[in-house]
C-alpha cells in the first residue's frame, strides 16, 4: 500500500516534465515518421496513403543528393578544424599569459553572439567590392572576389563562418578539462624526461578524450543543425551550392509547402544523426578513459 | 636488481627563492653526500618542498646554484638532471596501466623493448607488483599505488631519487611498512635519496642525515642521533622529540647564574628529569597523563610550563609539589641573541649544584 503510494507520487512528480517532452519532442517525431508515408494534403484534396512513394522520390531527387554531399563536405571540413582550433586555443589560454582573461573572453565572444549576427558580421567581410577581404585584397593589388556568389566557393565561405563560431565554444570545454588535469602529472612526465610534444601526445591528449568525444558529438549534431547563417549569407545558392540538408528541409516544407516530402527528408536526417552518434560512441569507446 | 646505479652528491650554493615579495628560501647552502638518505624536515611552510622542487628543476632558483654530481644543473630542465621523483599524490597517469606507468620514462628514453620488459619484470618482482601490471591505477589501493610510484622512480636507475611526503596519504600501519620498504630499497639500490617530510618519526627512523628547516633557512644538518642529543638551536630543541624539550627562560633561575642568565634559554628533555628530594627544580603539578610505560606530568616552575616524563605510573596529584634534578650532560643552553647553542659546560654547572 505504502509502496503503491510512493510509486504514484513519483509518477506525479514526473508528469509535468513528461507532458512537455512528449508534446513537443516525441509526438512530433512520431507524427513526422507517420506523415512521411502519406501525400501532402492540398486544398480540398486530403492526404492519402502513399507507402514508400516519398522515399522513392527522395532517392531520385538530385537536389537531395547534392545537399547531402554538401553536408558531408561541410561536416568533414568544419568538425576537425573547429575542434583542432579549439584545442590549440585552449592550450594557449591555459598557460600563464599576460592578459589571459582578455584573450579567453575574445575567443569566447563568437559563441555568445547569435548566428544571425555572426552571419551579418561576416557579410561585411565577404561583400564583393567593399567588404573587408576585398579592401585588403585591393591594398595588396589583388582583384575583386565574390566568394559567396560563386558556386565553387560559396560552401567554403559558409564553412569558415561556422568554424569561427564553433571553435570558441568548444575551447571552453577543453579549457575546463585542461584545468582538471593535476599539474603533478605533467611534472612527473617532465622528470621522466618527456618533452612538450610527448607530454601532449601521451598525457594531455588521452586525458582530454572524454571531452573530445563530447565535443565531437556536439560538432556532428551542429553540422546538421546549424543553418541560420545560410539564410543571411547565401540563401543556399547559387544553384544549391551552399545548401545543407536542414536548409533544404526548411525550403521543401515551409517554402514549397510539400510537408510530406519535408517529413521524409526529416526522417532521413534523424536516422543519420542517430547512426553518427552511436557510431562515435562505439569508435571512441576503447580510447576514452573516464576518470 | 642488475645495473645498480651509484648515487650522486647534491650541492646547493646560496639558493634563494622569491615569490613576489615573500622570500621562501633564504640563501641556502646544503651538501647531500652521494648514496645517503637525507630527510628534509620542518613545519609546513618552512620551504622544504620548495627546496626539493628546486633540486628537481621543477622550480627555478631566484639566486644561487644547484649541483648534481659535479655538474652545475641550475639551468637544466628536470629531465636532464638524472633524477627520479615520487610525488605526494603519486602522480600516476590514470589512463595508463601499471606496467605502462612504470616504463613511461624508459619509453621516453627509447630503450629497446626487450630491455624495458626485462627491467619491468625485475621491478615488479622487487615491489611485488606482478599481479597488478595490467590494471589501471584507479583499481589499486593507496599502498599499491605508492608501490607503482616507487617502481616508476627506481626502474630508470637514476643516481638520485627525490620524494615529497610520499607516505602522508597512507594509514599509520601501512606507513610503517612502507617506511621500512623505502629504506630497504634505497640501501639495496644505492641511490642518493632526498626525502621531504613534516613527520619527525619518519625523518629520524629512516635518514642518515636530517636537514631541519624553519622559515626558509636551515636550522641544523646532522644525523638523527646528534639532532636529538645536541640540537644546534632553540628551534631544533623545541621541534625534535615527543614531547619536545622544555625550554625555560634563563632568568627563571636568575639567582643561580647572576648576570649570565640574561638572554639565554635553558633546555632539558622531559625524559631527563629525575625525581630527587635534593633536586634544584621546584615545581607544582598541574596535571598528568598516563601513557602506559610512563607518565607525562605537566608542571609549573618559576612561572613557566614544564613537562616531565616519569617512569611507570608516577601517581602524582595536581597541586602536589615535586623536586627534580637533571644530569649536567642533559642540560642544553641556547643563546637567544645569536640563535646558537652554548657549549660552555661550566655555564650549566651552577644549576646542578644542590642549593639548600
Amino acid at each position: 500500500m505504502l509502496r503503491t503510494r510512493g510509486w504514484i507520487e513519483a509518477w506525479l512528480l514526473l508528469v509535468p516534465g513528461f507532458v512537455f517532452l512528449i508534446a513537443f519532442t516525441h509526438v512530433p517525431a512520431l507524427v513526422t515518421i507517420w506523415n512521411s508515408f502519406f501525400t501532402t494534403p492540398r486544398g480540398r484534396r486530403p492526404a492519402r496513403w502513399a507507402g514508400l512513394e516519398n522515399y522513392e522520390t527522395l532517392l531520385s531527387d538530385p537536389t537531395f543528393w547534392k545537399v547531402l554531399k554538401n553536408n558531408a563536405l561541410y561536416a568533414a571540413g568544419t568538425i576537425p578544424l573547429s575542434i583542432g582550433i579549439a584545442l590549440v586555443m585552449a592550450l594557449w589560454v591555459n598557460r600563464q599569459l599576460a592578459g589571459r582573461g582578455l584573450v579567453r573572453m575574445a575567443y569566447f565572444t563568437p559563441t555568445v553572439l547569435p548566428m544571425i549576427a555572426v552571419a551579418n558580421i561576416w557579410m561585411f567581410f565577404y561583400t564583393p567590392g567593399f567588404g573587408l577581404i576585398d579592401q585588403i585584397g585591393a591594398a595588396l593589388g589583388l582583384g575583386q572576389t565574390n566568394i559567396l556568389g560563386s558556386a565553387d566557393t560559396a560552401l567554403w565561405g559558409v564553412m569558415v563562418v561556422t568554424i569561427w563560431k564553433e571553435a570558441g565554444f568548444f575551447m571552453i570545454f577543453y579549457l575546463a578539462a585542461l584545468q582538471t588535469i593535476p599539474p603533478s602529472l605533467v611534472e612527473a612526465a617532465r622528470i621522466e624526461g618527456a618533452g612538450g610534444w610527448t607530454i601532449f601526445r601521451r598525457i594531455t591528449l588521452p586525458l582530454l578524450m572524454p571531452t573530445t568525444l563530447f565535443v565531437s558529438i556536439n560538432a556532428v549534431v551542429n553540422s546538421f543543425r546549424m543553418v541560420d547563417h545560410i539564410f543571411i549569407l547565401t540563401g543556399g545558392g547559387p544553384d544549391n551550392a551552399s545548401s545543407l540538408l536542414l536548409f533544404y528541409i526548411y525550403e521543401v516544407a515551409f517554402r514549397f509547402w510539400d510537408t510530406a516530402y519535408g517529413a521524409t527528408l526529416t526522417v532521413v536526417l534523424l536516422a543519420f544523426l542517430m547512426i553518427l552518434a552511436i557510431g562515435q560512441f562505439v569508435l571512441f569507446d576503447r580510447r576514452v578513459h573516464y576518470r | 636488481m642488475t645495473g645498480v646505479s651509484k648515487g650522486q652528491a647534491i650541492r646547493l650554493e646560496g639558493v634563494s627563492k622569491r615569490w613576489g615579495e615573500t622570500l621562501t628560501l633564504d640563501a641556502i647552502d646544503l651538501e647531500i653526500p652521494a648514496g645517503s638518505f637525507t630527510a628534509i624536515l620542518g613545519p609546513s611552510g618552512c620551504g622544504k618542498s620548495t627546496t626539493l622542487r628546486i633540486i628537481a628543476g621543477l622550480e627555478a632558483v631566484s639566486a644561487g646554484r644547484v649541483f648534481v654530481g659535479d655538474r652545475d644543473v641550475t639551468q637544466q630542465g628536470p629531465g636532464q638532471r638524472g633524477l627520479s621523483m615520487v610525488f605526494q599524490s603519486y602522480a600516476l597517469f590514470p589512463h595508463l596501466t601499471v606496467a605502462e606507468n612504470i616504463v613511461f620514462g624508459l619509453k621516453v628514453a627509447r630503450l629497446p623493448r626487450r630491455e624495458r620488459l626485462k627491467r619491468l619484470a625485475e621491478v615488479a618482482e622487487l615491489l611485488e607488483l606482478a599481479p597488478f601490471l595490467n590494471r589501471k591505477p584507479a583499481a589499486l589501493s593507496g599502498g599499491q599505488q605508492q608501490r607503482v610510484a616507487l617502481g616508476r622512480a627506481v626502474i630508470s636507475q637514476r643516481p638520485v631519487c627525490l620524494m615529497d611526503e610520499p607516505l602522508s596519504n597512507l594509514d599509520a600501519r601501512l606507513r610503517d611498512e612502507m617506511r621500512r620498504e623505502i629504506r630497504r630499497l634505497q640501501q639495496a639500490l644505492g641511490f642518493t635519496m632526498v626525502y621531504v617530510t613534516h613527520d619527525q618519526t619518519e625523518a629520524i627512523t629512516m635518514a642518515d642525515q636530517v636537514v631541519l628547516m624553519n622559515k626558509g633557512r636551515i636550522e641544523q644538518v646532522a644525523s638523527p642521533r646528534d639532532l636529538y642529543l645536541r640540537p644546534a638551536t632553540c628551534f631544533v630543541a623545541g621541534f625534535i622529540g615527543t614531547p619536545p624539550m622544555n625550554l625555560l627562560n634563563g632568568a627563571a633561575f636568575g639567582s643561580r647564574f647572576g648576570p649570565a642568565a640574561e638572554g639565554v634559554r635553558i633546555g632539558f628533555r622531559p625524559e631527563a628529569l629525575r625525581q630527587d628530594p635534593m633536586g634544584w627544580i621546584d615545581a607544582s603539578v598541574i596535571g598528568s597523563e598516563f601513557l602506559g610505560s610512563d607518565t607525562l606530568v605537566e608542571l609549573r616552575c618559576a612561572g613557566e610550563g614544564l613537562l616531565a616524563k616519569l617512569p611507570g605510573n608516577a601517581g602524582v596529584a595536581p597541586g602536589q609539589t615535586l623536586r627534580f634534578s637533571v644530569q649536567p650532560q642533559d642540560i642544553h643552553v641556547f643563546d637567544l641573541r645569536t640563535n646558537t647553542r652554548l657549549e660552555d659546560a661550566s655555564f650549566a654547572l651552577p644549576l646542578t649544584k644542590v642549593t639548600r
Side-chain angles (χ1 to χ4, degrees):
Chain A
M1 182 61 197
L2 211 70
R3 273 179 65 182
T4 323
R5 269 181 55 192
W7 196 76
I8 291 170
E9 199 177 290
W11 274 102
L12 282 175
L13 289 169
L14 287 173
V15 159
F18 263 130
V19 167
F20 284 100
L21 209 61
I22 289 170
F24 295 107
T25 306
H26 298 135
V27 169
L30 290 175
V31 170
T32 302
I33 295 173
W34 182 246
N35 282 349
S36 73
F37 296 111
F38 285 85
T39 58
T40 306
R42 287 186 198 283
R44 262 171 288 155
R45 197 179 58 200
R48 61 165 181 81
W49 175 258
L52 291 176
E53 251 174 57
N54 284 322
Y55 290 91
E56 279 161 20
T57 317
L58 179 130
L59 288 177
S60 57
D61 176 7
T63 316
F64 167 72
W65 290 109
K66 177 149 197 181
V67 295
L68 200 62
K69 204 186 99 204
N70 281 349
N71 220 142
L73 198 66
Y74 179 79
T78 57
I79 295 168
L81 262 176
S82 55
I83 292 177
I85 292 171
L87 184 56
V88 170
M89 292 195 304
L91 289 169
W92 173 247
V93 299
N94 192 38
R95 15 166 119 199
Q96 295 303 325
L97 186 77
R100 185 168 67 164
L102 208 69
V103 179
R104 283 183 186 179
M105 196 186 70
Y107 281 160
F108 193 59
T109 310
T111 308
V112 184
L113 298 176
M115 200 61 185
I116 299 290
V118 168
N120 276 303
I121 293 171
W122 278 82
M123 282 302 274
F124 287 115
F125 298 168
Y126 282 140
T127 309
F130 51 88
L132 186 71
I133 292 171
D134 274 4
Q135 291 202 13
I136 293 171
L140 296 172
L142 300 173
Q144 196 174 318
T145 62
N146 188 1
I147 293 170
L148 297 180
S150 52
D152 294 337
T153 52
L155 187 63
W156 298 101
V158 172
M159 281 162 66
V160 168
V161 178
T162 309
I163 293 168
W164 185 81
K165 165 107 172 129
E166 297 247 283
F169 183 52
F170 296 153
M171 177 199 77
I172 293 297
F173 293 106
Y174 273 124
L175 192 56
L178 280 173
Q179 287 174 352
T180 65
I181 298 179
S184 63
L185 290 187
V186 174
E187 286 174 351
R190 282 177 68 201
I191 295 261
E192 295 297 329
W197 173 244
T198 311
I199 292 174
F200 174 72
R201 202 170 51 87
R202 302 227 22 228
I203 310 294
T204 316
L205 204 55
L207 291 177
L208 289 177
M209 273 314 246
T211 310
T212 305
L213 173 63
F214 172 80
V215 161
S216 67
I217 286 179
N218 263 286
V220 166
V221 172
N222 277 352
S223 73
F224 282 96
R225 204 191 61 171
M226 272 212 324
V227 292
D228 316 17
H229 53 319
I230 294 176
F231 287 87
I232 307 289
L233 291 170
T234 61
D239 186 22
N240 289 320
S242 63
S243 181
L244 301 178
L245 191 50
L246 185 60
F247 187 81
Y248 184 50
I249 290 172
Y250 168 82
E251 281 195 314
V252 167
F254 301 108
R255 209 169 270 171
F256 314 148
W257 287 108
D258 189 351
T259 50
Y261 189 47
T264 312
L265 286 165
T266 307
V267 170
V268 171
L269 174 65
L270 287 177
F272 265 122
L273 284 177
M274 246 158 71
I275 291 166
L276 282 169
I278 293 168
Q280 275 179 310
F281 268 114
V282 172
L283 181 76
F284 276 98
D285 196 43
R286 275 183 296 129
R287 285 191 273 163
V288 175
H289 168 84
Y290 292 100
R291 265 178 290 183
Chain B
M1 198 163 157
T2 53
V4 171
S5 58
K6 193 93 179 67
Q8 281 185 351
I10 299 167
R11 198 164 82 244
L12 303 184
E13 280 183 12
V15 168
S16 294
K17 180 69 187 177
R18 205 176 268 291
W19 303 98
E21 287 297 297
T22 36
L23 192 61
T24 315
L25 289 184
D26 188 2
I28 287 207
D29 292 303
L30 180 61
E31 286 279 349
I32 293 169
S36 75
F37 193 125
T38 296
I40 304 182
L41 177 66
S44 43
C46 71
K48 54 188 191 300
S49 282
T50 309
T51 308
L52 193 77
R53 290 172 62 81
I54 279 176
I55 296 173
L58 294 172
E59 226 62 84
V61 298
S62 304
R65 292 199 294 170
V66 182
F67 294 85
V68 173
D70 300 320
R71 296 173 297 134
D72 182 346
V73 297
T74 316
Q75 299 304 326
Q76 286 180 355
Q80 300 157 336
R81 296 189 176 194
L83 39 83
S84 53
M85 184 160 170
V86 175
F87 290 79
Q88 185 175 5
S89 59
Y90 314 142
L92 299 178
F93 306 122
H95 58 294
L96 301 180
T97 63
V98 168
E100 288 168 328
N101 261 288
I102 294 176
V103 300
F104 183 86
L106 303 185
K107 231 170 164 174
V108 169
R110 294 181 197 285
L111 220 70
R113 191 182 147 78
R114 270 186 52 201
E115 175 71 15
R116 280 204 315 253
L117 291 177
K118 191 172 134 256
R119 286 213 211 167
L120 176 65
E122 285 168 358
V123 167
E125 197 194 345
L126 189 72
L127 291 164
E128 294 161 25
L129 282 171
F132 314 114
L133 288 179
N134 289 319
R135 290 207 204 159
K136 295 273 173 74
L140 300 180
S141 72
Q144 289 161 346
Q145 291 186 14
Q146 170 76 73
R147 279 166 203 275
V148 177
L150 284 176
R152 188 173 65 185
V154 298
I155 198 169
S156 46
Q157 301 172 355
R158 303 209 179 100
V160 175
C161 182
L162 311 177
M163 295 198 180
D164 188 4
E165 310 218 12
L167 305 183
S168 56
N169 293 339
L170 302 179
D171 61 58
R173 199 166 153 183
L174 207 52
R175 197 148 47 200
D176 284 353
E177 198 184 307
M178 290 308 293
R179 218 160 60 194
R180 280 190 284 279
E181 179 145 354
I182 289 174
R183 182 63 174 147
R184 176 178 67 81
L185 211 59
Q186 189 264 336
Q187 281 169 343
L189 304 182
F191 51 79
T192 309
M193 169 76 93
V194 186
Y195 186 102
V196 163
T197 178
H198 64 265
D199 179 350
Q200 51 170 303
T201 320
E202 272 178 30
I204 283 177
T205 53
M206 297 168 88
D208 302 316
Q209 168 183 285
V210 178
V211 178
L212 186 57
M213 294 185 67
N214 181 36
K215 293 180 182 162
R217 290 166 190 270
I218 293 177
E219 293 278 339
Q220 187 171 9
V221 181
S223 69
R225 192 185 149 78
D226 283 351
L227 210 61
Y228 180 81
L229 293 177
R230 291 171 44 77
T233 66
C234 232
F235 176 81
V236 178
F239 191 85
I240 298 291
T242 36
M245 190 182 281
N246 293 304
L247 290 163
L248 302 182
N249 204 333
F253 309 97
S255 59
R256 296 201 179 86
F257 301 111
E262 289 300 314
V264 299
R265 287 211 153 236
I266 314 290
F268 39 83
R269 298 206 173 270
E271 49 269 40
L273 285 165
R274 297 271 172 277
Q275 252 187 301
D276 179 354
M278 310 275 183
W280 50 273
I281 298 169
D282 203 355
S284 58
V285 177
I286 306 266
S288 68
E289 272 175 60
F290 179 54
L291 301 177
S293 62
D294 35 33
T295 306
L296 195 62
V297 185
E298 197 186 331
L299 302 158
R300 195 144 198 93
C301 168
E304 292 194 78
L306 194 65
L307 285 172
K309 211 182 217 176
L310 302 177
N313 188 359
V316 291
Q320 202 180 338
T321 307
L322 299 174
R323 290 191 87 86
F324 298 96
S325 65
V326 180
Q327 294 301 303
Q329 69 270 18
D330 289 333
I331 294 178
H332 310 263
V333 183
F334 302 100
D335 188 327
L336 283 180
R337 279 157 307 187
T338 55
N339 192 30
T340 53
R341 176 189 180 83
L342 295 176
E343 293 295 354
D344 188 2
S346 66
F347 185 83
L349 266 181
L351 282 176
T352 58
K353 284 187 188 135
V354 182
T355 46
R356 269 176 248 202

